[in-house]
Amino acid sequence: MPGIGDTFRILHVSTGNVCRSPITERLTRHFLADRLGDADGSGLIVESAGTWGHEGAPMEANAEAVLADFGADASGFVGRELLDEHVIMADLVLTATRDHRAQVISMGHSAGLRTFTLKEFTRLVRAIDPATLPPLEDGVVERARALVRAAAALRGWLLAPTAEADEVHDPYGAPLPFFRSIGDEIHQALDPVVTALTGVAART
């Protein structure tokens, strides 16, 4: 069990906190549990919020359907507006778009080195040699902190091939097939991140 204060908080950020960031939050939790068995005991805390968050709102029904496709739990979700305290407490902020990233960084709190778009972070993580990260015996929290430091160091050297490459588009109001395509994008971006965090590949 992690000791007091021995935690690592991942914050997913989108606009309304009813579509993209809830999907990303709950998929991250689901994938961590799949890799670790007891994700609650790992010290990793996964949350989400929106830059124009629908405070107290439920997740969009189509977002719930996407999570059901992956076997992830959508229950009990409540939308939140992004607050200073969320950024202050986060060890890693993953945003849906570059605009969200800019908004988080503009809030201050030394957020620049720990705020990435989801796809940007995936690209950087893929370039990091897992052997350079602390072993799992040192704990997932230490490994996660090292991963963020390594990604931040690579950022200026490994640029996106296009501006669009770092974006996850907003499916709000779109039909279920578009939500599912966004869910697939998020899944593909999260998989290498969760593998790097945990040192455990997805079960086939």
Side-chain angles (χ1 to χ4, degrees):
M1 290 292 290
I4 296 172
D6 192 17
T7 58
F8 184 92
R9 287 181 177 268
I10 302 170
L11 177 67
H12 293 293
V13 174
S14 62
T15 303
N17 194 215
V18 291
C19 298
R20 287 169 292 182
S21 51
I23 291 172
T24 315
E25 173 199 318
R26 294 305 176 93
L27 281 184
T28 303
R29 291 185 187 182
H30 180 66
F31 296 149
L32 285 171
D34 182 61
R35 306 293 215 283
L36 298 174
D38 178 19
D40 291 338
S42 69
L44 298 181
I45 299 168
V46 186
E47 302 171 311
S48 64
T51 53
W52 292 89
H54 299 186
E55 189 74 30
M59 191 186 310
E60 282 287 295
N62 281 347
E64 289 193 9
V66 167
L67 289 173
D69 290 343
F70 288 102
D73 182 13
S75 64
F77 181 85
V78 178
R80 303 192 305 175
E81 182 163 359
L82 182 66
L83 302 176
D84 288 280
E85 66 193 60
H86 300 145
V87 176
I88 291 167
M89 294 176 68
D91 297 287
L92 171 62
V93 184
L94 296 176
T95 69
T97 69
R98 290 167 297 146
D99 281 349
H100 296 133
R101 182 185 63 195
Q103 288 179 67
V104 171
I105 293 172
S106 74
M107 294 171 73
H109 315 303
S110 304
L113 290 176
R114 51 196 166 90
T115 303
F116 308 80
T117 74
L118 171 61
K119 289 186 174 180
E120 173 192 22
F121 194 66
T122 302
R123 186 175 69 253
L124 298 171
V125 162
R126 286 183 184 277
I128 296 167
D129 181 356
T132 64
L133 300 173
L136 280 183
E137 292 74 30
D138 291 354
V140 177
V141 168
E142 283 307 308
R143 187 180 176 93
R145 289 174 179 156
L147 186 67
V148 172
R149 289 193 299 269
L154 275 177
R155 178 152 40 190
W157 300 93
L158 196 63
L159 302 178
T162 66
E164 282 292 298
D166 283 344
E167 304 282 290
V168 176
H169 293 294
D170 191 357
Y172 185 76
L176 183 56
F178 187 70
F179 265 83
R180 285 189 164 131
S181 71
I182 294 298
D184 287 340
E185 276 186 46
I186 291 170
H187 167 246
Q188 289 169 23
L190 278 177
D191 183 69
V193 171
V194 176
T195 297
L197 281 169
T198 62
V200 182
R203 288 181 284 186
T204 54

